[in-house]
Amino acid sequence: MTNKESLQRHLLQLDNRGYKAYKDIQGNYDFSEFTLIIDYVQGDPFASPSKFRVIVPPHIAQIPRELFNSRSREIALRDYLTRQFDQAAYSISSKRGTGKSGLIAVTRFGQEVLERSSAFIISSHTSDIEDLGGVELRFAVGLPAGGRSILGRQAAEMLCEDIPQIVSNSLKYANLNAAECRRHVETVEDADWLRQQLAENGLVAFVADGSILPRRSGVDNSPLLNNAVAFQSPPSLKVEFNCPNRGLISGMGIPAGITLIVGGGYHGKSTLLRAIELGVYNRIPGDGREFVVTSPAAVKIRAEDGRSVAGVDISPFINHLPQGRDTAQFYTENASGSTSQAANIIEVLEVGRRKKEGTTRILTRIHGLIYEEDLVPVLLVDEDTAATNFMIRDRRMQELIAKDKEPITPFIDKVRQLYADYGVSTILVMGGSGDYFDVADTVIALENFQAYNVTKEAKEIAKNYSISRAAEGGENFGDITQRVPIPASLDPSRGRRDVRVKVRDVDELAFGTEEIDLGYVEQIVDSGQLRAIAAAMVYAKQQYMDGKRTLSEIIDLVMADIDAQGMDILSPFPEGDFAMFRRFELAAAINRLRSLSVVAK
């Protein structure tokens, strides 16, 4: 290992040489208070930035152990330090040269607190500092250039002056806002604790009193502060918990079963569902939804016209298609609204449903915590993004079009069976059809963003205004068929040996020669999640797809490996821009691969 002065001299000697000469600086450097590691050097000023790491030892960082003495706290602290480094880099680094020159940045992030590969806590094994922690932080650097020539003096300033200042400002506990750091950690810990209380209290979601649910706009996920109505639970749905840090908290508990969210347009139905949908993740303090928590197996379901479907058994919902098309192994390159929504539900059940006694339990990893219980999905549906003919077939339409002429069994006739047969709860926004009153356990009305429990009134209306519609769902929901991916149908290369995966924001993934559209998979909230999903698909292909294991078994193994070894197993070199994902979104990406081919188990 060489030192800071040696690196500085080397950079000055590289001045005006061709850009590829930067490759010579790859390696480790002793900066006295930290170690700088240059893992990868870009070959062009317009290419992806270089990959750097700093390791700050415990006796320098001096982070109190109480801030990372649990898995939940550690994940929150790593998120906080990443954000602090980002702020410090933004305030110090400046534009130098062309392309990405002058860039010093960490991974992009939003309101969610996710387990990331950008920062790690280093525990000390020295007795005199055993209560302190150090930090490893990974970041990107755009090495400065003039055209395609090295700007050595500017590079020396960046690496030998700017980076030490950024490290000092953001990774030394003495220079941080201790109260803000503690609040960040304790907020996340309380949210994790609340989420773990849901199942044992018969709940699938909790919305804290005082939450601010509306967002500023469709492109700004920060809270709407002006004229926003703070949420208050209806008295009959109010529950209380005594959190580890903030103490007593009250709010609306949504029980397991079938819940309708009703109300007039623009009164907050979809806003509430969106908050519940993202309640599978933790949020930063000040988001307004810090204590809106949802079952870790809650999945948003919607229609998705045009998606491909590979061998999914949609027969519980769709049967006897014209021309005798098979729906027990349904393939299409261009699904309709109803067939796509049916496939979306079955695919979730396939990788997340309760497994039979004696088989391997399903694991899911949410912001660093492993949920080992049987992972029963909770379906979240908004009528605005659902296929109408999939959701309801009213009495008049039943009279006009006989059941033997209608292939679709509507969701209204299956939603109760899902709960009875598989324990799958549903939260459904419904403003246009009162037929669902008959099957609902709980009905919540939204008026000016305030919630009211109108279950009694809805049941009374259902009793007084009988619709006399015939149930079309049969006696049971039906079996959930497991599928085995054919390995050759997943090819991350371009017909050669190299692997090609690339992401665009949170909605598109290039996998080999294919583009996977994930725009309707609404619980992917971070581009780092999509990068990790892409790497996990390659890993799954290389390690576990053998033509015998089911998709669910493959995902089990991938998630277990990540739990045991971290996200670094997904990449041949340290990555700083991975964020943890759920099994459901990994399955969603694989299922939307148009080349995917499967066989039924």
Side-chain angles (χ1 to χ4, degrees), residues 211-217 222-230 286-288:
S211 297
I212 302 298
L213 305 184
R215 303 292 94 185
R216 287 189 181 179
S217 71
S222 56
L224 177 67
L225 298 179
N226 295 329
N227 302 317
V229 178
D287 173 80

Side-chain angles (χ1 to χ4, degrees), residues 58-257:
H59 72 278
I60 299 296
Q62 295 194 332
I63 298 174
R65 181 170 293 275
E66 64 181 18
L67 293 176
F68 60 94
N69 61 6
S70 70
R71 186 65 173 161
S72 178
R73 284 179 166 240
E74 181 190 336
I75 297 301
L77 177 62
R78 288 163 56 185
D79 179 86
Y80 180 79
L81 294 173
T82 299
R83 293 172 190 270
Q84 293 303 302
F85 188 95
D86 181 69
Q87 291 178 16
Y90 182 79
S91 65
I92 290 174
S93 63
S94 59
K95 178 74 174 176
R96 293 179 170 97
T98 56
K100 294 181 172 65
S101 294
L103 173 74
I104 301 177
V106 290
T107 184
R108 293 170 56 190
F109 42 73
Q111 302 288 101
E112 291 76 25
V113 177
L114 303 173
E115 181 182 5
R116 302 179 186 280
S117 64
S118 55
F120 297 89
I121 305 302
I122 303 169
S123 296
S124 171
H125 298 291
T126 306
S127 59
D128 59 339
I129 55 171
E130 63 183 6
D131 288 332
L132 299 176
V135 184
E136 175 185 330
L137 196 132
R138 302 171 180 181
F139 57 104
V141 172
L143 295 168
R148 281 182 163 77
S149 297
I150 289 173
L151 296 179
R153 186 172 299 278
Q154 290 90 327
E157 291 174 357
M158 281 183 68
L159 274 56
C160 301
E161 297 177 20
D162 290 357
I163 289 177
Q165 187 63 52
I166 293 167
V167 169
S168 178
N169 290 354
S170 62
L171 302 182
K172 286 185 175 182
Y173 185 72
N175 295 333
L176 298 175
N177 183 323
E180 181 185 79
C181 180
R182 182 175 298 277
R183 182 187 175 210
H184 196 94
V185 167
E186 291 181 348
T187 297
V188 169
E189 183 178 48
D190 281 346
D192 276 333
W193 183 87
L194 281 168
R195 193 174 291 104
Q196 291 177 314
Q197 309 310 304
L198 293 176
E200 65 184 65
N201 285 277
L203 304 175
V204 294
F206 171 80
V207 184
D209 290 335
S211 297
I212 302 298
L213 305 184
R215 303 292 94 185
R216 287 189 181 179
S217 71
V219 295
D220 186 347
N221 208 27
S222 56
L224 177 67
L225 298 179
N226 295 329
N227 302 317
V229 178
F231 184 87
Q232 291 297 320
S233 172
S236 56
L237 293 175
K238 189 181 291 289
V239 294
E240 293 182 338
F241 296 101
N242 195 14
C243 296
N245 300 298
R246 69 174 285 134
L248 192 65
I249 187 172
S250 64
M252 181 175 72
I254 298 180

Side-chain angles (χ1 to χ4, degrees), residues 557-587:
L557 291 166
V558 171
M559 303 304 284
D561 284 355
I562 293 173
D563 175 52
Q565 303 176 60
M567 287 183 280
D568 276 355
I569 65 164
L570 303 178
S571 175
F573 50 81
E575 287 282 1
D577 55 3
F578 283 168
M580 197 57 214
F581 53 88
R582 302 188 306 165
R583 62 186 295 111
F584 299 106
E585 283 70 53
L586 174 56

Side-chain angles (χ1 to χ4, degrees), residues 303 305 314 317-318 335-343 387 389-390 408:
D305 299 71
I314 61 172
F317 292 110
I318 300 175
S336 67
S338 58
T339 54
S340 63
Q341 194 165 347
N389 63 335
F390 180 81
I408 302 171

Side-chain angles (χ1 to χ4, degrees), residues 184-402:
H184 196 94
V185 167
E186 291 181 348
T187 297
V188 169
E189 183 178 48
D190 281 346
D192 276 333
W193 183 87
L194 281 168
R195 193 174 291 104
Q196 291 177 314
Q197 309 310 304
L198 293 176
E200 65 184 65
N201 285 277
L203 304 175
V204 294
F206 171 80
V207 184
D209 290 335
S211 297
I212 302 298
L213 305 184
R215 303 292 94 185
R216 287 189 181 179
S217 71
V219 295
D220 186 347
N221 208 27
S222 56
L224 177 67
L225 298 179
N226 295 329
N227 302 317
V229 178
F231 184 87
Q232 291 297 320
S233 172
S236 56
L237 293 175
K238 189 181 291 289
V239 294
E240 293 182 338
F241 296 101
N242 195 14
C243 296
N245 300 298
R246 69 174 285 134
L248 192 65
I249 187 172
S250 64
M252 181 175 72
I254 298 180
I258 301 161
T259 299
L260 298 187
I261 301 173
V262 301
Y266 304 97
H267 279 265
K269 302 188 300 299
S270 295
T271 299
L272 174 59
L273 188 71
R274 179 63 172 166
I276 292 170
E277 169 189 330
L278 297 182
V280 298
Y281 302 120
N282 294 329
R283 283 106 165 192
I284 60 174
D287 173 80
R289 304 166 299 178
E290 299 95 316
F291 302 113
V292 179
V293 296
T294 309
S295 162
V299 182
K300 177 70 179 296
I301 299 293
R302 59 170 296 158
E304 196 173 343
D305 299 71
R307 66 154 289 193
S308 62
V309 177
V312 178
D313 182 359
I314 61 172
S315 62
F317 292 110
I318 300 175
N319 257 311
H320 55 80
L321 289 176
Q323 290 85 48
R325 292 187 62 188
D326 183 15
T327 61
Q329 286 186 286
F330 184 74
Y331 277 90
T332 181
E333 286 290 316
N334 186 23
S336 67
S338 58
T339 54
S340 63
Q341 194 165 347
N344 288 343
I345 292 173
I346 298 298
E347 288 167 353
V348 168
L349 300 178
E350 180 185 1
V351 299
R353 69 186 179 91
R354 188 190 306 274
K355 289 205 168 187
K356 294 180 180 178
E357 187 176 352
T359 60
T360 304
R361 282 188 163 190
I362 300 172
L363 302 180
T364 191
R365 187 181 180 98
I366 306 296
H367 40 76
L369 299 183
I370 298 296
Y371 290 79
E372 294 184 346
E373 71 272 16
D374 290 327
L375 191 64
V376 182
V378 177
L379 305 183
L380 310 176
V381 184
D382 190 332
E383 65 174 350
D384 284 351
T385 56
T388 301
N389 63 335
F390 180 81
M391 297 301 297
I392 184 69
R393 206 164 84 93
D394 64 20
R395 179 62 182 140
R396 289 176 173 174
M397 191 58 71
Q398 287 181 326
E399 189 67 27
L400 181 65
I401 306 296

Side-chain angles (χ1 to χ4, degrees), residues 352-554:
R353 69 186 179 91
R354 188 190 306 274
K355 289 205 168 187
K356 294 180 180 178
E357 187 176 352
T359 60
T360 304
R361 282 188 163 190
I362 300 172
L363 302 180
T364 191
R365 187 181 180 98
I366 306 296
H367 40 76
L369 299 183
I370 298 296
Y371 290 79
E372 294 184 346
E373 71 272 16
D374 290 327
L375 191 64
V376 182
V378 177
L379 305 183
L380 310 176
V381 184
D382 190 332
E383 65 174 350
D384 284 351
T385 56
T388 301
N389 63 335
F390 180 81
M391 297 301 297
I392 184 69
R393 206 164 84 93
D394 64 20
R395 179 62 182 140
R396 289 176 173 174
M397 191 58 71
Q398 287 181 326
E399 189 67 27
L400 181 65
I401 306 296
K403 176 56 183 169
D404 62 358
K405 299 296 192 299
E406 173 52 75
I408 302 171
T409 299
F411 190 63
I412 191 172
D413 292 320
K414 287 294 187 179
V415 65
R416 172 57 60 187
Q417 294 172 356
L418 270 172
Y419 186 57
D421 294 355
Y422 293 108
V424 174
S425 296
T426 298
I427 301 176
L428 171 64
V429 167
M430 179 60 69
S433 174
D435 287 10
Y436 274 86
F437 293 172
D438 291 310
V439 297
D441 297 304
T442 306
V443 184
I444 300 168
L446 268 291
E447 183 179 336
N448 193 27
F449 290 90
Q450 288 295 351
Y452 301 88
N453 185 353
V454 296
T455 306
K456 182 179 179 181
E457 293 90 330
K459 291 299 184 182
E460 193 66 28
I461 290 169
K463 179 181 177 181
N464 293 337
Y465 296 90
S466 176
I467 55 176
S468 301
R469 77 177 292 279
E472 299 179 347
E475 295 298 320
N476 303 103
F477 180 80
D479 293 332
I480 308 300
T481 302
Q482 295 289 323
R483 296 172 299 150
V484 176
I486 296 174
S489 68
L490 284 90
D491 182 9
S493 72
R494 290 172 286 188
R496 301 190 296 273
R497 291 184 179 180
D498 62 319
V499 170
R500 177 182 180 262
V501 292
K502 185 176 182 180
V503 308
R504 298 179 183 87
D505 200 22
V506 297
D507 56 8
E508 192 171 312
L509 163 60
F511 188 82
T513 59
E514 290 199 51
E515 303 289 333
I516 305 175
D517 183 0
L518 294 166
Y520 289 153
V521 182
E522 298 178 23
Q523 287 164 296
I524 298 176
V525 296
D526 190 288
S527 58
Q529 287 180 305
L530 196 51
R531 278 189 286 272
I533 286 170
M537 290 174 66
V538 176
Y539 181 83
K541 157 76 172 180
Q542 294 172 341
Q543 300 295 324
Y544 295 122
M545 289 189 182
D546 58 0
K548 299 177 182 178
R549 294 187 177 100
T550 67
L551 178 60
S552 184
E553 290 168 341
I554 291 165

